[in-house]
């Protein structure tokens, strides 16, 4: 059963093993490599509920980086201006203030 400390919910390795149906070795490997964020307190690892959310829902920056890394090889690299516009557009989307995709596509087509 997870430990509740105020608003903080903490899980031990054994709880994650049972809940996620994986081995202790898998959870510990993820913790040691930083793929899953946790803290070792004494001899036990603890993982917060927030860290679990981050693990299963990677940050938008990580998703964007993976998208760029998986682009076809024949794509031309971004110019500095295109990179800045892309980053700014991504930030606007994260804040909910971005322009509709249809509008962005129209602007890009006009160039």
């Amino acid at each position: 059963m997870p430990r509740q400390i105020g608003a903080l919910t903490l899980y031990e390795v054994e709880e994650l093993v049972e809940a996620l149906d994986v081995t202790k070795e898998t959870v510990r490997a993820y913790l040691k490599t930083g793929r899953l964020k946790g803290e070792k307190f004494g001899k036990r690892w603890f993982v917060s509920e927030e860290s679990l959310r981050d693990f299963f829902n990677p940050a938008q920056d990580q998703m964007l980086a993976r998208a760029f890394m998986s682009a076809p090889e024949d794509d031309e690299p971004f110019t500095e201006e295109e990179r800045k516009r892309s980053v700014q557009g991504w930030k606007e989307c994260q804040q909910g203030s971005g322009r509709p995709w249809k509008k962005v596509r129209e602007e890009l087509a006009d160039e």
Side-chain angles (χ1 to χ4, degrees):
M1 185 156 169
R3 296 175 193 252
Q4 194 71 36
I5 302 172
L8 183 64
T9 303
L10 298 173
Y11 297 87
E12 291 187 54
V13 170
E14 293 76 16
E15 293 164 332
L16 296 175
V17 165
E18 186 177 320
L20 302 174
D21 194 27
V22 295
T23 66
K24 284 183 185 181
E25 291 77 18
T26 298
V27 175
R28 288 187 178 132
Y30 282 8
L31 287 164
K32 287 178 183 176
T33 61
R35 186 170 176 190
L36 176 61
K37 300 218 183 310
E39 294 295 327
K40 195 168 187 180
F41 190 75
K43 294 184 178 184
R44 294 182 173 177
W45 281 97
F46 292 93
V47 177
S48 70
E49 189 170 345
E50 181 181 0
S51 291
L52 282 176
R53 280 196 191 99
D54 290 345
F55 178 79
F56 286 106
N57 299 308
Q60 299 298 333
D61 292 342
Q62 292 173 349
M63 290 169 43
L64 180 61
R66 280 199 300 267
F68 283 134
M69 289 172 30
S70 65
E73 290 180 21
D74 61 347
D75 280 357
E76 293 181 23
F78 277 166
T79 64
E80 185 60 22
E81 180 60 31
E82 289 171 328
R83 188 193 66 75
K84 286 179 183 177
R85 287 177 49 202
S86 177
V87 169
Q88 180 60 36
W90 191 256
K91 288 178 181 177
E92 289 173 0
C93 287
Q94 285 180 311
Q95 297 166 354
S97 62
R99 295 168 290 164
W101 179 240
K102 184 177 177 182
K103 179 73 174 160
V104 172
R105 285 181 31 207
E106 290 170 0
E107 290 173 8
L108 292 173
D110 290 341
E111 293 179 0

